[in-house]
Amino acid sequence: MLQKLQSETLKVLFENLSYNGGFPVINPATEQELIRLKTSTLEDIDAQIEACKRAQVEWAKLSAKSRSVFLKKWFQLLVEHTEDIAIIITLEQGKPLVESRGEVAYGASFVEWFSEEAKRAYGEVIPAPAADRRLSTIKQPVGVCAAITPWNFPKAMITRKAAPALAAGCGMIIKPSELTPLTALAVMELAHQAGIPKDLLSIVVSEQAAEFGVVLSTDPRIKKISFTGSTRVGKILMKQASDTVKAVSMELGGNAPFIVFEDADLDAAVNGLIASKFRNAGQTCVCTNRLYVHKNVKEAFVAKLLNKMAKLKVANGLAADSNLGPVITMAAKHRLEAVIDQALQEGAKLLNQPKKRSGRFVEPVVLDHVEQSMAIVQQELFGPVLPIITFEHDEQVLMMANDTEYGLACYFYTDSLQRIVTFSEGLEYGMVGVNEGIISTEVAPFGGIKESGVGREGAKQGMDEYLETKYICLGGLS
Ligand code: ADP
């Protein structure tokens, strides 16, 4: 791996971190070991929490403008190291290099955005109900925070949490996924180079995810935990966090419907669907999970879709022409194979002829004759598998689209203003893409309802997750 990096800083970092007795980080494309890392210990994490507590007090005393300057410097370093970070993401996570570069830019955009928002943590003056009082609110940092992040966006999920935390005056301890710790370590190193104190923003790496999760969600010195990952683990962390009544932000699973109405621009819808479904080999929580297409346009739509899909190349993400890299683990591949087999047994039909691939590569699969009641419709697929359900009436498709415990993202394509309003308001999701398949941006609130999560990331709402509102009643005036 080291030979592929340009930056001396990052080369030295990984040379120092390489530890033969540690746990391996595997390249999912080649299944080869990239490096072995020393695992953090419970003593390490205890010391880091204590150090963060002290550092946070000093950090919170800085002016918002000073904190903003540190974040801007971090942003610059992230941008300057785009190519190296992109290579690290592709090596440990598998996505095509062009997508990794996109993730570096997307991840850095949160640092830039919150460097600006740092200066806008406004309180309010409230008209008092009595003449002898003056009422106001101020915003204050929640304190020491913890973040647990997933492998599918090893950079962006860190900056989307750390940047608002630091902007607000909080400290943070981050535990990245054990599958993709290298990007996190690089991003952290650049934060420290930008002058952000090591004690204030630190990282723990370990394969013992559950054990570290207990510490980060129960230690009373930690006031907030922010998690991105599965709904299953999110529920565990929320339960654990309840003993100390910690604030929580949870970005959990999704089951995004993608609806194509008969009045849709079919070419635009195909492009939107391909971007939404096959990005990161289908491994994002906002990826389309199920396609609903009106029966009158189904044939035309599917023909266009298959035509475009035939051009998608599944290959090592380092190859210039790769559109889909591998899935993250063999277990993920086997889970997808089992889901497809079950759908076929329940009556679904393959619409394309995906080649069997070795290693962790999975060719895109399209399944027709899928019914709403099938297991494949009710679970988050997290892979390049697309089930198609045909519909006839608007009320029917709205009901089917909402028929899930998840509520993260959804998409629909139509030309009708009436439908745009009815479905934007009627779909029970935190985010709606109307005639658009890619909707994430640092300036808009990202997050879900129902079992997809609690809280919002990015946008002005993202800062509030790391701020407390304090009400001050000034009385006894004449
Ligand atoms: P995914 O299914 O996408 O891998 P997970 O929810 O399993 O999502 O993982 C997301 C993050 O949660 C990773 O950093 C992982 O190490 C961590 N994790 C997994 N299990 C637990 C747990 N029991 N407690 C705390 N964190 C966990």
Side-chain angles (χ1 to χ4, degrees):
M1 176 183 88
L2 292 177
Q3 315 81 277
K4 292 198 162 59
L5 302 181
Q6 301 290 317
S7 151
E8 278 310 312
T9 314
L10 296 182
K11 278 190 191 170
V12 171
L13 171 75
F14 290 117
E15 261 160 20
N16 289 340
L17 286 170
S18 172
Y19 177 71
N20 279 341
F23 71 92
V25 183
I26 306 291
N27 177 341
T30 60
E31 304 198 276
Q32 279 165 0
E33 199 175 292
L34 293 166
I35 194 170
R36 279 179 178 262
L37 295 177
K38 190 171 182 183
T39 183
S40 304
T41 63
L42 291 178
E43 287 74 38
D44 292 334
I45 195 170
D46 182 65
Q48 282 170 248
I49 297 170
E50 198 51 37
C52 187
K53 199 176 151 197
R54 279 195 301 272
Q56 189 267 325
V57 173
E58 297 309 312
W59 182 252
K61 282 184 197 157
L62 293 182
S63 68
K65 186 161 178 162
S66 304
R67 291 198 296 269
S68 169
V69 170
F70 284 108
L71 286 168
K72 280 196 184 114
K73 178 78 186 144
W74 188 20
F75 167 71
Q76 277 160 8
L77 288 174
L78 289 170
V79 172
E80 280 166 24
H81 288 78
T82 295
E83 202 54 25
D84 274 356
I85 301 174
I87 287 169
I88 298 170
I89 293 176
T90 294
L91 286 175
E92 68 176 349
Q93 198 276 333
K95 69 181 64 169
L97 205 46
V98 58
E99 285 190 32
S100 295
R101 291 189 190 112
E103 182 182 344
V104 178
Y106 175 60
S109 73
F110 290 102
V111 182
E112 184 184 42
W113 170 262
F114 286 109
S115 75
E116 294 153 355
E117 286 299 287
K119 295 179 270 183
R120 293 177 200 126
Y122 303 125
E124 329 181 83
V125 175
I126 302 167
D132 64 343
R133 292 179 173 199
R134 297 292 181 273
L135 313 187
S136 60
T137 63
I138 57 170
K139 297 274 180 80
Q140 291 184 306
V142 299
V144 175
C145 303
I148 299 181
T149 57
W151 50 264
N152 61 343
F153 287 96
K155 179 191 178 203
M157 294 306 99
I158 288 180
T159 51
R160 199 159 81 173
K161 298 178 191 307
L166 295 176
C170 297
M172 185 171 258
I173 293 150
I174 299 176
K175 193 208 77 67
S177 167
E178 60 280 15
L179 300 173
T180 55
L182 304 179
T183 309
L185 287 160
V187 166
M188 209 55 38
E189 175 66 20
L190 297 178
H192 298 150
Q193 290 228 339
I196 294 166
K198 287 186 174 170
D199 286 347
L200 184 77
L201 180 67
S202 68
I203 180 168
V204 286
V205 293
S206 172
E207 279 191 309
Q208 310 303 321
E211 196 178 5
F212 278 65
V214 168
V215 176
L216 294 174
S217 58
T218 60
D219 191 294
R221 294 167 292 181
I222 294 175
K223 303 301 177 201
K224 162 154 194 135
I225 179 156
S226 176
F227 172 72
T228 298
S230 61
T231 296
R232 180 186 72 82
V233 173
K235 287 178 182 178
I236 295 174
L237 291 170
M238 284 179 86
K239 281 189 192 130
Q240 289 171 178
S242 69
D243 268 350
T244 47
V245 196
K246 277 191 213 326
V248 294
S249 292
M250 295 280 147
E251 296 291 351
L252 309 178
N255 181 358
F258 188 108
I259 308 170
V260 180
F261 290 98
E262 62 181 322
D263 58 3
D265 174 338
L266 297 188
D267 292 310
V270 165
N271 289 338
L273 175 62
I274 287 190
S276 156
K277 176 69 237 181
F278 298 114
R279 191 160 64 108
N280 203 6
Q283 303 170 109
T284 89
C285 48
V286 292
C287 274
T288 290
N289 213 46
R290 44 199 168 116
L291 169 68
Y292 293 95
V293 58
H294 192 276
K295 72 176 183 42
N296 291 349
V297 291
K298 180 179 165 199
E299 209 174 308
F301 183 79
V302 167
K304 285 176 189 286
L305 174 67
L306 292 179
N307 188 29
K308 281 243 160 169
M309 279 180 57
K311 300 186 184 99
L312 293 178
K313 178 140 189 226
V314 181
N316 186 324
L318 291 179
D321 56 352
S322 168
N323 300 114
L324 284 84
V327 296
I328 189 71
T329 55
M330 275 317 275
K333 180 173 178 173
H334 292 147
R335 181 182 53 74
L336 287 167
E337 286 167 348
V339 169
I340 296 164
D341 282 348
Q342 186 181 354
L344 293 174
Q345 275 168 27
E346 290 178 57
K349 298 269 179 292
L350 277 175
L351 261 188
N352 63 341
Q353 297 302 323
K355 278 188 280 211
K356 282 257 177 262
R357 297 285 301 257
S358 59
R360 301 182 190 182
F361 292 96
V362 179
E363 291 278 338
V365 176
V366 186
L367 290 162
D368 198 5
H369 297 287
V370 173
E371 300 289 336
Q372 183 70 15
S373 56
M374 292 183 187
I376 192 166
V377 176
Q378 292 299 334
Q379 57 188 299
E380 183 173 33
L381 297 173
F382 237 67
V385 178
L386 178 68
I388 303 183
I389 301 151
T390 315
F391 75 92
E392 235 183 303
H393 306 294
D394 284 17
E395 309 73 51
Q396 171 201 19
V397 76
L398 183 60
M399 212 173 66
M400 291 194 291
N402 285 337
D403 172 29
T404 167
E405 71 265 27
Y406 293 108
L408 194 58
C410 62
Y411 310 91
F412 63 91
Y413 277 68
T414 179
D415 247 4
S416 147
L417 185 57
Q418 181 61 50
R419 281 199 177 107
I420 290 176
V421 173
T422 307
F423 278 76
S424 296
E425 293 174 2
L427 285 162
E428 295 163 359
Y429 290 83
M431 296 174 281
V432 186
V434 185
N435 296 332
E436 187 56 65
I438 298 285
I439 58 177
S440 300
T441 156
E442 77 279 13
V443 304
F446 186 105
I449 61 170
K450 294 161 83 177
E451 293 193 16
S452 285
V454 179
R456 293 292 180 271
E457 290 191 323
K460 64 177 184 206
Q461 290 87 344
M463 272 288 278
D464 280 335
E465 301 282 320
Y466 295 93
L467 290 166
E468 298 283 10
T469 297
K470 182 180 279 177
Y471 156 52
I472 300 167
C473 175
L474 177 61
L477 306 171
S478 53

